[in-house]
Amino acid sequence: MYAGGSAGTNSTYRANLRAFEKFRIVPRMLVNATVRNLETTIFGVKHSSPVFIAPIGVQGIFTAEAELAPARAGKNLGVPFIMSTASSRSIEDVAEANGDGYRWYQLYWPASNDVVLSILSRAKASGFSALVVTLDTMLLGWRPHDLPSSYIPFGHGVGVQVGVSDPVFMARLGREPVNQRTKFPYDSAEMDRLYVAGDKDARDGVFLGTEWLKECNSGLFRSWEDLKFLRDNWDGPLVLKGIQSVQDAEKCLDHGVDGIIVSNHGGRQVDGAIPSLYALQRIMRSPKVKAAQASGKLTVLFDSGIRTGPDIIKALALGAQAVLLGRPWLYGGVVAGQDGIEQVLRHTMADLDATLGLSGFTSLNELQGKAEDFLVEIDL
Ligand SMILES: Cc1cc2nc3c(=O)[nH]c(=O)nc-3n(C[C@H](O)[C@H](O)[C@H](O)COP(=O)(O)O)c2cc1C
Ligand SMILES: O=C(O)C(=O)c1ccccc1
């Protein structure tokens, strides 16, 4: 329910998927595609495919391994993993699970700068290469399906491990950082049961979760000028997630931003928002953005609605350089843990590989940004 649901009437969610139906591939024949190459270079690092694992927090709702499962899957398959601030495991534990894998850290921007600095330094020390700042979730969207149960993970003490393991945040509450894993179940139903039974640790977990929610949900006052603080305090690539308008994409160029993720959060925030694929098309029509991408000044990534290999081809043709896979890996994990996540990733890449060849291409470079040559938009 929590994962599948989107904001409002699910209109944006449906439109995200429908947009992929509307753009169609026009395959070419008799091209020698016996050798195909999915390699993709982002921020100077070569990856075996253009697929990234999207940051999805609160994994503790779903599985015991929580965020360790996608972190391990990413390492095993060489797929970059993006860790959420709403994780049910600490930055350090997730980094350990990802080992010598490649990882980025996704920041929900805390209201206090001392907490921001603490998290950035932990992420740096734990080997996260880039910082992704999610801008579309300064508060959670209106999600009617979660109302009957008044469901919000942080309020149930789930997904707050980055906060409760943070020395600066906890010091403000007069507390030592704790490794919640040893004290509380990650499962929210079990947490509810213990809470109602009056369990002291469960009650404390809910208290801490509520404090962390306040810290992370108070970021609405942030402005473009505040990016300077992040820019000054993070020396790796800085990526903004949740960009949907041409104006915002262009603004990034004046604020030291290295990359954008065109995304509407899988339709979970603004019901009635533009489908993410159309947002990408409009953004890539901006001559400023196109020139910045061509010169390597701005990297463009995409998510919201990627389900298959052909979807990836369409997003790349419309100008994205890589994509984030969201709900599909989450569902694979719910069904079969780390193995399930690996299956979904493997299948997605195999589908991409086959479709690439069948469409008449041998590498992704040949189609990236070339929508006018082999995509058509049809009425449905
Ligand atoms: C259950 C759930 C939790 C999510 N948590 C986060 C998060 O913590 N941080 C974030 O930036 N995005 C989060 N997202 C959004 C994803 O990163 C991604 O943008 C979205 O899932 C893309 O849509 P799709 O899965 O429908 O393709 C979450 C999405 C879901 C479904
Ligand atoms: O549910 C979400 O989409 C999400 O991004 C989130 C944000 C904060 C806490 C838990 C989930």
Side-chain angles (χ1 to χ4, degrees):
M1 190 69 124
Y2 183 76
S6 288
T9 63
N10 287 341
S11 167
T12 304
Y13 178 81
R14 288 191 304 274
N16 280 344
L17 299 188
R18 201 172 146 84
F20 280 97
E21 295 278 328
K22 295 193 66 153
F23 286 95
R24 319 294 298 196
I25 298 166
V26 186
R28 307 268 177 83
M29 299 301 123
L30 290 174
V31 174
N32 182 349
T34 42
V35 180
R36 297 176 299 280
N37 181 356
L38 302 184
E39 273 175 3
T40 303
T41 300
I42 300 291
F43 299 133
V45 179
K46 199 190 273 182
H47 306 285
S48 54
S49 91
V51 178
F52 279 55
I53 298 174
I56 294 190
V58 299
Q59 290 286 304
I61 298 175
F62 311 110
T63 63
E65 257 192 307
E67 291 79 9
L68 304 184
R72 289 177 179 138
K75 170 193 153 58
N76 279 353
L77 298 185
V79 175
F81 170 68
I82 310 179
M83 174 186 178
S84 163
T85 293
S87 289
S88 341
R89 302 288 181 135
S90 70
I91 294 174
E92 294 75 15
D93 283 0
V94 172
E96 191 189 324
N98 191 244
D100 60 2
Y102 182 77
R103 51 189 173 271
W104 290 0
Y105 184 80
Q106 176 263 319
L107 184 73
Y108 276 132
W109 203 338
S112 328
N113 281 345
D114 57 346
V115 176
V116 174
L117 286 180
S118 175
I119 291 182
L120 295 190
S121 73
R122 292 172 67 196
K124 194 86 214 163
S126 294
F128 289 84
S129 307
L131 181 69
V132 174
V133 187
T134 299
L135 299 176
D136 56 19
T137 315
M138 296 300 192
L139 55 86
L140 281 187
W142 181 249
R143 303 177 182 177
H145 53 278
D146 292 328
L147 289 177
S149 53
S150 309
Y151 191 70
I152 171 166
F154 284 11
H156 292 239
V158 180
V160 300
Q161 185 62 28
V162 169
V164 302
S165 61
D166 192 82
V168 174
F169 172 70
M170 290 298 273
R172 196 195 307 147
L173 301 175
R175 307 272 292 258
E176 292 290 314
V178 290
N179 192 342
Q180 192 184 344
R181 182 173 36 155
T182 58
K183 282 187 154 184
F184 304 115
Y186 282 105
D187 174 75
S188 60
E190 176 67 356
M191 189 76 178
D192 282 357
R193 198 185 62 70
L194 291 170
Y195 186 88
V196 171
D199 181 274
K200 215 168 124 285
D201 284 342
R203 298 230 158 180
D204 194 46
V206 169
F207 163 73
L208 292 171
T210 308
E211 291 300 315
W212 184 236
L213 177 69
K214 281 192 248 166
E215 180 67 42
C216 293
N217 260 13
S218 307
L220 275 171
F221 64 89
R222 297 289 187 192
S223 69
W224 286 90
E225 280 60 51
D226 289 314
L227 288 173
K228 186 170 176 347
F229 182 78
L230 296 180
R231 188 63 289 176
D232 289 348
N233 290 289
W234 178 263
D235 60 12
L238 176 63
V239 180
L240 301 186
K241 178 167 182 277
I243 298 295
Q244 300 176 58
S245 81
V246 178
Q247 291 88 337
D248 284 355
E250 290 179 349
K251 260 192 201 150
C252 288
L253 304 174
D254 306 323
H255 288 86
V257 173
D258 303 295
I260 58 173
I261 302 173
V262 177
S263 167
N264 57 32
H265 212 96
R268 292 165 70 79
Q269 291 300 92
V270 176
D271 197 33
I274 180 171
S276 198
L277 199 62
Y278 280 96
L280 176 67
Q281 185 189 42
R282 295 178 80 233
I283 287 169
M284 294 313 303
R285 281 179 176 158
S286 152
K288 273 175 89 174
V289 171
K290 234 187 146 90
Q293 187 190 44
S295 68
K297 195 167 172 284
L298 188 76
T299 295
V300 179
L301 290 89
F302 172 90
D303 80 24
S304 297
I306 296 285
R307 297 292 175 271
T308 66
D311 292 346
I312 298 172
I313 288 188
K314 293 172 190 179
L316 261 51
L318 283 165
Q321 292 158 261
V323 301
L324 279 54
L325 193 66
R327 284 180 174 100
W329 76 253
L330 171 64
Y331 296 155
V334 172
V335 172
Q338 183 188 335
D339 278 353
I341 299 171
E342 292 188 14
Q343 286 277 358
V344 168
L345 291 171
R346 275 206 199 90
H347 287 193
T348 306
M349 291 188 283
D351 182 12
L352 172 61
D353 178 52
T355 309
L356 183 74
L358 291 170
S359 303
F361 296 99
T362 59
S363 82
L364 298 171
N365 295 337
E366 294 163 23
L367 62 92
Q368 200 275 326
K370 306 267 172 55
E372 64 283 0
D373 291 343
F374 73 99
L375 280 195
V376 288
E377 194 184 344
I378 59 166
D379 281 335
L380 269 185

